[in-house]
Amino acid sequence: MGDLPILKRTLAVYTGLFIVFLYGPFVVMGILSFQAGPEGGPQFPIIEWSTYWYRHLFGLTEATRIAPLPIREALLRSLTLAFATTVVSTVLGTLTAQAFRRNFRGSGVIFYLVILGMMVPGLLLGLGQALVAQNLGIDRSWWGTAFVLHVVYTYPFAFLVMLAIFNRFDPRVEEAAWSLGVSPAVTFRKVTFPMVFPGVLSAMLFGFTLSYDEFPRSLFTAGSDVTLPLAIYGTFAVEIHPNIFAFGVLSTLFSFTILAIYGLLMAASVRRARIKASGIQEDEA
Amino acid sequence: MLELQGLSKRYGTEVALDDVSLVVRDDEYLTLLGPSGSGKSTLLRVIAGLETPDAGRVLLDGRDIGALPTHRRGLGIVQQNYALFPHMTVFDNVAFGLRFRETAPVADPSEVDRRTRATLDLVGLTGFETRMPGQLSGGQKQRVSLARTLVTEPRICLLDEPLGALDANLRERMTVELRRIREALGVTFLHVTGNEAEALAMGDRMIVLDRGRALAVAPPEEIFAAPADTRVARFLNAWNLIPGRAGADGFEVAGEAPLALPAPAPQAQTYGVPYDAAWISRDPAPAPGEGVLPARYVASEFLGSKVVYLLRRADGKVFEVERHLSREDPETYAQDETLAVRWRLADVHLFDGAGRRIPLAPAGAPA
């Protein structure tokens, strides 16, 4: 081990640090979530290991001066919002990418207009949206003004994912279907869509995760009924208890579950694709 | 009957099709030979409605189908890379058109089943119904692709280099198969290829396309025996073309004694001798009715049924001689040995300055 070249050793240290910084916060959060309650605070040392704060989260402990986290409705809102955002931005992204398969007049400009949604700083966009809403007399709400901004934000991601997928898609498969007398609409449903479905899954994953923990755009546009990230942020203003950490652990586990489902679906579709492989690219001269 | 009238198509400054007119008859096998970039795939795509021509009309049974989208033309296209639906079984691939086409889809599952199986049987793929495209060999994919098109009974079946991705062995087998299948169904095949042997072997008629222009349309035997143009002769890869000019004593070639002409043709600028019409001799003496050219032996290539001898003319250009072994045994010559290539004048064709074949009437020359 002593002969390890200097470069390798540097890279190993770098990688180690990277992992510590990546997982450190989560590990600390995980440990502190098992702090004793209700007297234990969000700091070391651990007075006693307990699941008190998890029970507190679900209202299973005796009432104390520490109020339960006001996140139940916020969680529901965020999930609903993320789901709606996912559906809308994936549909829009897929259709836009489909349009971009052919060159059309102004495609360059429209491309950058779409991409702008993910480039513009979210806080400014949120503020601008709030001003517009105010001037037009529209009430700000998570399902209205915030929803629009979430779509504006996630739609370019879905679009870019689908653009990459369609880039590798062989249009001759569609042409073959048309030449059999099948209309373009049916061809899209029966041939194109099943073939690009793994890409659609990725686009959906992007949409969901981006929207679920979106903060700056929601801050000014969600109105009085806040989304989950805003609700959590709101609790910081009062006093921090380990129940937030307990919630953080649970919500991280939830994200992992979503990722695992995505991974399984993807693996299944890749496995299917491998068996079927392609009657396409491989034999090309 | 499919009729093309003055089709033109350009991409930017590049001409893909230049005033192509053509009649495709019912129940024929038409091959379209052209080098890559000759516009042959573009022509197919224009007919199928996958590209819009800049000028010209496409008539099917006298009806202008130029404005119809691909799926309403009733023409089938077999793509070069097969373009199978990778997420469907062989059966579903073939049944796809019957089930989902816009006009007269077949709703009765037993009817779909019967016709799909009949077509799979025709292409020799019975028993492969539940396979996925990834589990098939190149030749099998090719057959599925063909079956998928044929089951919908297109008026004309357009094939874009259908054998291009197959190995030589399989290619030869599929050549016979394609002709058999076509004759069984009586459907017209328009087969695009860059391979001259394929175009000659398969077509009832063949078209030679170069730089977007149709150079020749005739039965393959005619095109092979008397190419209309030096470019056609070059694509056939069966002609020695010697540049020079007609003079008083014959056809004058730089650095050689003049070659005997089959007939007076003052405008001749290219002298064409088929590979397989020439033979090699050690006797350089001129003889009546024969052409003689001294050449040095370079190499020979044994091809099973024939031997190709490569010789070098005085100006350094290669002269090919093809001898079929059914007629004689292969000869061996020494490297750089000076030999005489001989041919009958009756087999010679002359071409003018524009590359067009000069019709030769007298002295026993073919018309």
Side-chain angles (χ1 to χ4, degrees):
Chain A
M1 287 298 276
D3 317 327
L4 215 55
I6 194 100
L7 177 68
K8 260 194 178 170
R9 226 183 294 176
T10 317
L11 284 178
V13 169
Y14 177 80
T15 308
L17 281 175
F18 180 82
I19 289 172
V20 166
F21 279 107
L22 185 63
Y23 293 106
F26 179 65
V27 170
V28 169
M29 181 177 82
I31 292 171
L32 286 178
S33 70
F34 291 101
Q35 177 72 287
E39 65 283 357
Q43 63 265 320
F44 290 104
I46 298 286
I47 302 169
E48 196 186 346
W49 296 101
S50 93
T51 55
Y52 176 85
W53 294 111
Y54 287 89
R55 281 179 283 129
H56 184 269
L57 207 57
F58 292 101
L60 301 175
T61 54
E62 290 149 42
T64 57
R65 60 170 193 89
I66 300 160
L69 275 182
I71 53 168
R72 185 186 298 264
E73 270 117 42
L75 175 64
L76 210 61
R77 275 183 218 120
S78 265
L79 287 175
T80 313
L81 179 59
F83 179 74
T85 305
T86 301
V87 171
V88 173
S89 69
T90 305
V91 170
L92 279 181
T94 307
L95 294 181
T96 316
Q98 166 79 14
F100 270 82
R101 291 173 64 189
R102 281 168 171 271
N103 258 331
F104 56 90
R105 193 187 299 266
S107 61
V109 175
I110 292 177
F111 178 85
Y112 286 108
L113 278 180
V114 173
I115 297 305
L116 210 58
M118 62 190 263
M119 301 302 237
V120 175
L123 214 52
L124 296 181
L125 207 59
L127 189 61
Q129 170 87 330
L131 292 175
V132 169
Q134 198 168 26
N135 280 330
L136 294 178
I138 299 168
D139 286 336
R140 284 175 288 162
S141 60
W142 62 272
W143 49 264
T145 41
F147 171 61
V148 170
L149 273 198
H150 279 217
V151 170
V152 166
Y153 178 44
T154 55
Y155 160 49
F157 286 94
F159 167 63
L160 288 180
V161 169
M162 294 314 293
L163 202 62
I165 295 289
F166 278 128
N167 228 347
R168 283 177 31 204
F169 185 84
D170 186 347
R172 281 178 288 191
V173 178
E174 289 172 329
E175 291 171 0
W178 302 339
S179 82
L180 299 173
V182 181
S183 70
V186 177
T187 298
F188 185 83
R189 202 153 48 84
K190 295 284 176 187
V191 175
T192 316
F193 190 75
M195 285 177 70
V196 299
F197 187 67
V200 173
L201 273 184
S202 304
M204 288 176 75
L205 185 73
F206 265 115
F208 195 90
T209 51
L210 288 173
S211 165
Y212 181 63
D213 71 351
E214 155 57 31
F215 183 80
R217 289 166 185 78
S218 309
L219 185 58
F220 294 115
T221 54
S224 48
D225 294 336
V226 293
T227 60
L228 185 65
L230 297 179
I232 292 175
Y233 183 69
T235 66
F236 294 173
V238 193
E239 197 179 354
I240 296 178
H241 295 286
N243 53 358
I244 288 190
F245 301 148
F247 177 75
V249 169
L250 290 183
S251 102
T252 307
L253 289 179
F254 171 73
S255 298
F256 275 135
T257 312
I258 296 248
L259 262 179
I261 292 171
Y262 167 79
L264 286 177
L265 284 175
M266 209 61 171
S269 109
V270 166
R271 196 168 340 109
R272 237 175 303 136
R274 188 170 311 141
I275 297 170
K276 299 163 180 181
S278 49
I280 318 181
Q281 313 290 359
E282 68 193 83
D283 290 292
E284 207 126 5
Chain B
M1 191 178 77
L2 178 78
E3 205 176 343
L4 312 180
Q5 295 178 344
L7 286 178
S8 294
K9 170 88 182 167
R10 45 173 70 233
Y11 297 104
T13 56
E14 201 168 321
V15 177
L17 293 177
D18 185 5
D19 195 21
V20 175
S21 296
L22 182 70
V23 173
V24 183
R25 300 176 194 145
D26 286 336
D27 196 10
E28 78 165 336
Y29 202 128
L30 188 61
T31 50
L32 201 158
L33 174 67
S36 60
S38 61
K40 55 188 193 299
S41 288
T42 306
L43 183 62
L44 219 56
R45 294 178 63 82
V46 166
I47 296 173
L50 298 168
E51 302 275 351
T52 320
D54 299 335
R57 303 203 299 163
V58 181
L59 304 172
L60 186 62
D61 298 327
R63 202 163 58 98
D64 191 340
I65 58 169
L68 292 181
T70 301
H71 68 283
R72 298 200 177 128
R73 292 198 177 195
L75 306 172
I77 184 163
V78 176
Q79 303 269 17
Q80 183 177 8
N81 61 352
Y82 323 127
L84 299 182
F85 308 131
H87 56 298
M88 297 182 196
T89 61
V90 166
F91 184 91
D92 289 337
N93 261 282
V94 176
F96 188 79
L98 291 179
R99 283 173 176 159
F100 299 118
R101 65 184 171 195
E102 193 180 63
T103 335
V106 182
D108 176 12
S110 63
E111 173 77 359
V112 171
D113 195 73
R114 190 183 61 74
R115 288 172 65 176
T116 303
R117 285 178 198 282
T119 313
L120 281 173
D121 183 50
L122 181 74
V123 299
L125 280 180
T126 300
F128 286 80
E129 288 85 355
T130 56
R131 298 264 191 111
M132 300 307 282
Q135 298 169 299
L136 301 177
S137 71
Q140 290 163 345
K141 285 181 195 166
Q142 167 61 50
R143 287 155 191 262
V144 174
S145 180
L146 187 67
R148 184 177 65 176
T149 299
L150 292 178
V151 77
T152 62
E153 296 173 348
R155 284 283 284 112
I156 291 174
C157 184
L158 309 167
L159 301 113
D160 190 1
E161 307 210 26
L163 310 181
L166 304 182
D167 59 53
N169 217 334
L170 204 55
R171 184 186 285 227
E172 216 152 288
R173 269 219 330 267
M174 278 309 287
T175 308
V176 181
E177 283 283 278
L178 276 177
R179 283 196 65 98
R180 175 186 70 78
I181 290 165
R182 196 207 73 74
E183 272 154 28
L185 293 177
V187 65
T188 298
F189 274 20
L190 177 53
H191 174 147
V192 158
T193 176
N195 180 315
E196 67 281 354
E198 215 172 285
L200 288 167
M202 305 186 73
D204 298 325
R205 287 194 305 150
M206 72 183 273
I207 311 162
V208 182
L209 203 70
D210 182 47
R211 277 177 261 163
R213 293 196 76 93
L215 296 179
V217 185
E221 311 84 71
E222 277 177 37
I223 290 190
F224 188 80
D229 193 283
T230 47
R231 277 181 290 170
V232 176
R234 214 161 273 135
F235 298 148
L236 293 176
N237 197 23
W239 286 75
N240 291 295
L241 299 171
I242 306 170
R245 65 155 57 148
D249 312 322
F251 190 79
E252 292 167 359
V253 183
E256 314 268 10
L259 303 174
L261 285 169
Q267 71 275 41
Q269 294 201 11
T270 305
Y271 192 99
V273 183
Y275 294 167
D276 62 350
W279 68 91
I280 297 171
S281 135
R282 289 193 162 90
D283 172 20
E290 287 183 11
V292 186
L293 184 74
R296 282 180 303 119
Y297 175 78
V298 177
S300 70
E301 198 178 346
F302 177 71
L303 294 171
S305 62
K306 64 188 181 187
V307 180
V308 174
Y309 301 96
L310 301 174
L311 299 104
R312 207 174 284 286
R313 306 200 316 255
D315 62 356
K317 292 276 167 48
V318 170
F319 193 101
E320 279 189 47
V321 177
E322 199 177 290
R323 301 306 295 171
H324 291 265
L325 295 178
S326 54
R327 289 194 285 177
E328 63 193 37
D329 287 334
E331 288 270 358
T332 45
Y333 303 101
Q335 184 78 32
D336 272 338
E337 185 179 352
T338 303
L339 300 164
V341 184
R342 312 184 72 96
W343 58 85
R344 292 190 315 125
L345 290 185
D347 293 323
V348 169
H349 279 298
L350 300 172
F351 302 89
D352 65 17
R356 276 190 298 274
R357 180 169 54 85
I358 302 165
L360 301 172

